[in-house]
Structure formats: C-alpha cells, structure tokens
C-alpha cells in the first residue's frame, strides 16, 4: 500500500469517527488537511458531503421538537375528549405523577410532566410525547388505591421515557423533515420550507394520535412499559403489586368492555398480568401494607 | 506525508474530545441549578433553554457546573453534551450560549411550525393544552407528598 493511500485512509477513518459528533468538525479537519496538502480538494469535498449526509440521516428528534409534537397530539386528544377540570383530583394526580417521573429513567423533558383527567367513562390512559399524560374518569374509577393509580401513571411515564409515541411516526416523514431543513445554520424558514414542515408535522401528529387512540402500542412496548413502571414504583417505595392488581381487574373486565378505549388498544391484558407477576416474583418484592396511602387516596378521589 | 496526516487526525480527535467535555447545553425549557446533587436541594438559579454551562465535575447523575459567576449542580437529564461547531471552535459563539447549535438542533418542529399547524387547524384545542401545562407542582409539595405517604425521595448521586 502506498504512503499516499495510507495517509488518505488514516484521515478518512478519523473523519468517519467524528461523523456522529458533528459534520462541521469534519469540515474544520478537511479544511486543515487540504491546506496542509494531506488531501486533495476532491477528497475534501467527498468527506464533507458524506459527513453532512450522515449527520442529516442520523439526526434524532430533539426534546424540544418532541415537546411541540406532544402539544399537538394533546390538542388532538382534547378535540375528542372533554377535559375534566377538578382541582382536587388534578392536584393529587400531578403530585403523584411528578413524584413518579422523578423516579423514572427520564426525570426531565423539555416541558416537564403534566397529568390531566378526561371526562369519559371509557377506560383509557394516553401518554403524549414530551410528558402530557391523560387518564379518563372511567380508568380512575377502577383504581382501588394509590398503588394502582401509581401503576397506571408509572406505565404512561414509561411510554414517555421510551419515546414510544415518537416511534409511531413513519420513518419516511422524518427523513423528509431532515431533507427539508437542509444543512444551513440559519434560523429563519423560507415560506415553502415552513409549509412543508407544517404538513410533515401534521402527518407526524396524526401518526402518534392514531397509535394512541386507535391502534395502541405493540405487545413488546407494553411489556417493557409495565416492567419499567414496576421499577419506578419500587424506587419510590410503592408496592409494584399495584400493577398486577389493576391488570387482574382489567383482564376480568376485558370481555365486557371489548372494543372500547384501553380494551381495544391493549388486547393482551392477561398476558401482561402473567409477565408482571413473573417480574415481581423474580425480584422478590413482597406485598406491602399501604394503609397511609390508601387513606390519602380515598380523601382525594 | 503519512506522519503529517496522523498528526492532523490526532489533533482533530483532541480538539473534539476537549471541547465536548468542557461544556453542556440546557435542553429543558428551564433547568434548575441546585446547591447540592439532589432533586429537592435549594435552587441556586434557573437556567433557560440553550444556555451553555461549564462543567467542573460530575457525580452519579449530577454535574457540577459554573454559570454566570455561580457554581451549582444540575441533573444530566437537563443538559446535553455540547456539540462542537465552527463557532465554538473559533470562539465566535454569542455571549457564552451555544446559539447556533441550538438553532440547528431546534430547527425542525419549532414554535413557528406549531403556529403554521394551528392556522391550518383552527379548531384544535391548544388553549386547553396550555391549561394542562399550567398544572405544576413545587419541590416542596412533592417532598411533602412523599413524606406523608411514607415514600422514598428519588435521585441523589
């Protein structure tokens, strides 16, 4: 291998190592390399183009973008369900939910976690990207104590942690967003760019809302969220059996409630129950006495 | 030629690692700089989105940082390791903030895009979303909630 090829390869490997960091760094390097005569202008151009292309393809959705998507998903949900404004219930939910969020693997999001009740008898809970979590009155009514309510909220927080809502966005939309943005650092959008982004934004919001309200997440996402929920509960000192108690109740009601809300989007309640019980048993988490919290729950709800 | 090339490569890696390790950028709307490495430790100051913080050290999930003549602790979940841009490498960044970087990172779905979406969908209930986002709980309230429920305090290094 000639010396020139070795030089070229060593430079290319370094540039490739830096790709995930930033295309601009690669450009600094290629400019330096070109100036020093290590690479030709053609080679410089090739590395720069690869770096920009790679950065665009790899660009993840930021927490701030997730926040704006989540707001629009929440607005879509609030177009279909009425918000239940009861200060006492809302305060209780937000204290419990925010405590659990701090014990989660993602204690902070761009706009924080917020919990609200939907005025519907349907049994459902919906986590928007970024941290807005809705629970229906029908679901609240079926929770027998604070442990069960904590399990419901922890499960939704887990979906936010895992960015399950964002996973519903068609990959092609995100590729198009990145392509629309281009590589420049200017902060202003052109009119056409803004229209295109608004259309892609709308499509992405619909993808997420459709998954939350109609299709539901996949079995694996639900099982992972259950597992995380039990871990978050345990970290705060809640009894993770709250999840299995609630799942057992829902599994028993699945027949009668088939086709609506959670029963339509979460078809495998019995399977989730088996898996959750197995996880508790693996961790040797004993049943707890939680009279203090039970009494608080009944004071608030 | 070969030696020159390796030197450039090594130099680049050095620049990248040193610059990346030194600062972090706030990625939440408003982050809290705290006196200690605990969720409910007293707040030294609030730091808005996009501000750059100089990292002095770390312990567990917490970073000890320097910001506007003050030292404090910030949770790693509120910041992102600052990527290197031409402006940061050539010290032309604006007043200690990673503004170009933030502009790039936040250039996709932004408030302007939400505004354009709202114009296309005027019946969307964004006023209610704002209402839901106004439901906030103070550190003191969460702490009292945990204590009264015989629960544990989360976090800490």
């Amino acid at each position: 291998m000639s010396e020139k090829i070795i030089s070229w390869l060593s430079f290319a490997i370094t540039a490739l190592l830096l790709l995930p960091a930033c295309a601009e760094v690669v450009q600094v390097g290629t400019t330096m390399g070109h100036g020093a005569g290590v690479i030709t202008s053609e080679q410089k151009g090739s590395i720069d183009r690869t770096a920009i292309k790679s950065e665009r393809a790899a660009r993840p959705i930021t927490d701030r973008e997730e926040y704006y998507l989540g707001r629009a998903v929440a607005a879509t949900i609030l177009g279909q369900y009425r918000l239940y404004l009861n200060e006492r219930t809302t305060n209780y939910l937000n204290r419990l939910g925010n405590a659990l969020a701090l014990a989660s693997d993602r204690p902070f999001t761009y706009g924080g976690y917020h919990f609200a009740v939907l005025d519907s008898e349907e049994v459902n809970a919906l986590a928007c990207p970024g941290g807005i979590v809705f629970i229906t009155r029908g679901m609240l009514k079926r929770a027998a104590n604070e442990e069960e309510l904590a399990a419901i909220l922890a499960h939704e927080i887990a979906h936010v942690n895992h960015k399950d809502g964002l996973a519903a966005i068609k990959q092609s939309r995100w590729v198009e967003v990145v392509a629309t943005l281009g590589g420049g650092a200017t902060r202003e959008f052109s009119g056409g760019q803004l229209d295109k982004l608004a259309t892609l934004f709308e499509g992405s919001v619909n993808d997420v809302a459709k998954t939350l309200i109609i299709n539901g997440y996949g079995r694996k996402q639900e099982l992972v969220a259950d597992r995380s929920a039990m871990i978050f509960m345990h970290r705060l000192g809640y009894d993770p059996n709250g999840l299995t108690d609630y799942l057992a109740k829902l599994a028993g009601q699945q027949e009668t409630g088939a086709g609506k809300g959670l029963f339509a989007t979460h078809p495998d309640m019995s399977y989730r129950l088996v898996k959750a019980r197995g996880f508790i048993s693996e961790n040797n988490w004993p049943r707890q006495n939680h009279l203090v919290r039970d009494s608080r729950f009944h004071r608030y709800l | 030629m070969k030696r020159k090339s390796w030197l450039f490569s090594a130099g680049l890696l050095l620049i990248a690692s040193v610059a990346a390790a030194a600062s972090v950028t706030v990625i939440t709307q408003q982050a809290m700089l705290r006196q200690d490495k605990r969720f409910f430790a007293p707040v030294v100051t609030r730091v808005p989105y996009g501000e750059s913080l100089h990292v002095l050290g770390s312990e567990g999930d917490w970073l000890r940082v320097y910001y506007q003549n003050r030292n404090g602790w910030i949770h790693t979940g509120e910041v992102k390791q600052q990527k290197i841009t031409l402006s940061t490498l050539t010290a032309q960044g604006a007043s200690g903030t990673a503004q170009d970087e933030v502009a790039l990172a936040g250039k996709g779905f932004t408030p302007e895009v939400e505004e354009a979406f709202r114009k296309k969908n005027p019946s969307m209930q964004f006023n209610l979303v704002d209402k839901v986002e106004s439901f906030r709980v103070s550190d003191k309230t969460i702490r009292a909630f945990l204590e009264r429920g015989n629960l544990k305090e989360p976090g800490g290094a």
Side-chain angles (χ1 to χ4, degrees):
Chain A
M1 204 181 289
S2 77
E3 199 174 77
K4 199 169 177 183
I5 291 173
I6 291 169
S7 301
W8 161 244
L9 273 176
S10 69
F11 204 91
I13 288 166
T14 309
L16 281 170
L17 282 171
L18 285 165
L19 282 183
C22 181
E24 278 192 74
V25 173
V26 176
Q27 287 164 7
V28 171
T30 52
T31 304
M32 286 159 66
H34 182 235
V38 176
I39 56 171
T40 66
S41 57
E42 275 169 27
Q43 287 165 340
K44 175 187 171 344
S46 168
I47 294 174
D48 290 349
R49 278 194 299 278
T50 311
I52 291 166
K53 207 169 153 188
S54 165
E55 186 178 64
R56 283 183 195 174
R59 181 185 179 278
I61 191 162
T62 67
D63 284 17
R64 190 165 176 252
E65 289 171 315
E66 182 190 12
Y67 166 76
Y68 284 108
L69 269 170
R71 275 174 57 80
V73 171
T76 307
I77 291 169
L78 289 170
Q80 298 186 28
Y81 294 88
R82 212 168 61 182
L83 189 62
Y84 177 67
L85 289 170
N86 177 303
E87 203 178 330
R88 194 173 171 78
T89 308
T90 304
N91 283 344
Y92 179 54
L93 266 191
N94 277 279
R95 285 168 197 175
L96 173 53
N98 277 287
L100 283 162
L102 285 179
S104 77
D105 294 334
R106 192 182 175 203
F108 300 101
T109 62
Y110 177 83
Y113 290 85
H114 308 275
F115 302 83
V117 184
L118 299 174
D119 195 0
S120 165
E121 288 306 313
E122 197 178 294
V123 180
N124 216 347
L126 307 157
C128 306
I132 293 179
V133 173
F134 293 113
I135 176 169
T136 60
R137 288 181 77 188
M139 187 138 196
L140 262 184
K141 275 185 198 166
R142 281 168 176 80
N145 52 41
E146 190 169 302
E147 316 299 288
E148 291 188 11
L149 180 54
I152 298 165
L153 298 186
H155 177 92
E156 298 307 317
I157 290 166
H159 281 312
V160 176
N161 272 221
H162 304 151
K163 302 190 176 181
D164 288 334
L166 296 181
I169 300 172
K170 286 179 188 149
Q171 185 67 25
S172 58
R173 285 198 218 284
W174 196 240
V175 170
E176 221 176 317
V177 168
V178 177
T180 306
L181 291 175
T186 54
R187 266 170 265 168
E188 301 297 320
F189 292 122
S190 67
Q193 207 179 19
L194 190 57
D195 283 348
K196 185 93 188 275
L197 284 171
T199 303
L200 290 166
F201 182 77
E202 187 167 13
S204 305
V205 169
N206 290 338
D207 288 346
V208 180
K210 197 172 155 195
T211 296
L212 292 185
I213 302 169
I214 302 166
N215 300 334
Y217 294 123
R219 172 187 268 199
K220 195 176 171 194
Q221 286 168 311
E222 294 298 349
L223 293 178
V224 174
D226 281 345
R227 192 174 268 241
S228 295
M230 289 184 279
I231 293 169
F232 305 160
M233 290 175 76
H234 180 70
R235 284 177 187 161
L236 277 190
Y238 278 110
D239 182 353
N241 286 290
L243 179 71
T244 53
D245 291 346
Y246 197 78
L247 285 175
K249 207 178 312 180
L250 292 188
Q253 293 171 359
Q254 188 127 46
E255 292 288 309
T256 50
K260 277 187 168 178
L262 192 88
F263 297 116
T265 54
H266 295 64
D268 328 340
M269 224 66 82
S270 302
Y271 185 70
R272 283 174 60 191
L273 177 60
V274 170
K275 288 289 183 185
R277 280 183 176 149
F279 190 62
I280 288 173
S281 160
E282 272 169 39
N283 285 284
N284 296 313
W285 287 329
R287 274 207 172 265
Q288 290 177 31
N289 173 331
H290 34 75
L291 289 176
V292 176
R293 297 193 289 274
D294 289 354
S295 127
R296 169 163 72 184
F297 175 85
H298 292 297
R299 273 203 313 276
Y300 278 105
L301 297 176
Chain B
M1 174 75 103
K2 185 178 163 189
R3 199 171 161 192
K4 212 192 275 180
S5 166
W6 279 113
L7 275 174
F8 273 114
S9 301
L12 265 184
L13 281 171
L14 190 68
I15 290 167
S17 53
V18 168
S23 337
V24 288
T25 306
V26 171
I27 56 164
T28 55
Q29 232 164 12
Q30 195 173 59
M32 303 292 178
L33 197 63
R34 297 185 183 272
Q35 279 179 17
D36 201 1
K37 46 191 183 300
R38 288 180 290 111
F39 282 124
F40 305 127
V43 175
V44 175
T45 187
R46 292 160 196 267
V47 190
Y49 173 76
E51 284 291 273
S52 181
L53 309 166
H54 184 69
V55 179
L56 304 171
S58 67
E59 210 169 309
D61 289 333
W62 295 84
L63 298 175
R64 188 152 181 274
V65 296
Y66 177 83
Y67 172 71
Q68 291 186 346
N69 300 321
R70 293 168 192 213
N71 290 337
W73 292 88
I74 196 161
H75 193 273
T76 49
E78 297 206 80
V79 295
K80 189 180 176 195
Q81 193 164 309
Q82 200 168 299
K83 279 163 74 179
I84 314 111
T85 62
L86 278 172
S87 55
T88 54
L89 280 176
T90 53
Q92 287 169 357
S95 64
T97 63
Q99 290 185 1
D100 285 345
E101 179 55 34
V102 169
L104 263 180
K107 211 182 154 201
F109 294 153
T110 60
E112 292 87 352
V113 174
E114 182 186 292
E115 195 51 45
F117 172 75
R118 287 168 77 155
K119 275 185 189 155
K120 279 176 77 180
N121 301 276
S123 61
M124 282 275 181
Q125 306 279 335
F126 275 93
N127 58 326
L128 293 178
V129 179
D130 294 338
K131 174 85 184 162
V132 170
E133 284 189 349
S134 73
F135 302 155
R136 290 176 189 273
V137 195
S138 69
D139 285 355
K140 198 178 155 191
T141 307
I142 300 178
R143 207 171 182 188
F145 180 85
L146 292 169
E147 272 172 20
R148 287 178 195 146
N150 291 338
L151 295 163
K152 290 181 263 186
E153 206 170 287

